[in-house]
Amino acid sequence: MAIARAVLERHGYQWVPQTDSSAEAHEGGKEIRGLTAPFKLRMSLAVQHDRLVMEAVVNGLGLPTPNGAPSGTLRIRNKLNYCADLVDSALSQAGLLS
């Protein structure tokens, strides 16, 4: 969790601890409450069975895109994937992934 926290904070996310093995990361450097910022990524991170699981808590709202998915949802999914890649790379560099 410490590596994930360092990586996400370096990229402008606010770390909000939940328990010893879980936290939330909020885009924009401050805590997002409720649905007040539907275009900002709020993700949960938890260690489950020795694996780090990252999920979007806010999925975004927006205007439809040509493929029918709301544009906000696509932005949030892309941000989540980007963050997951950053954390995965840092964990690999630290020798914590096999």
Side-chain angles (χ1 to χ4, degrees):
M1 291 294 276
I3 291 173
R5 179 179 186 166
V7 168
L8 294 172
E9 285 182 340
R10 189 174 32 232
H11 284 85
Y13 286 80
Q14 173 69 39
W15 189 262
V16 182
Q18 304 293 311
T19 67
D20 288 343
S21 62
S22 68
E24 285 189 350
H26 299 237
E27 182 183 8
K30 60 183 176 179
E31 192 170 348
I32 300 168
R33 297 179 186 263
L35 297 176
T36 58
F39 294 104
K40 299 266 186 181
L41 174 59
R42 184 174 123 207
M43 69 185 110
S44 67
L45 298 94
V47 176
Q48 298 176 357
H49 307 290
D50 295 328
R51 295 186 64 190
L52 180 62
V53 178
M54 298 172 67
E55 298 177 328
V57 175
V58 173
N59 65 357
L61 303 169
L63 301 172
T65 58
N67 68 0
S71 59
T73 301
L74 292 176
R75 258 192 302 271
I76 294 296
R77 186 186 70 210
N78 289 341
K79 289 177 188 179
L80 179 65
N81 289 341
Y82 176 73
C83 288
D85 289 344
L86 290 172
V87 171
D88 185 62
S89 175
L91 291 171
S92 292
Q93 289 176 6
L96 298 173
L97 291 180
S98 52

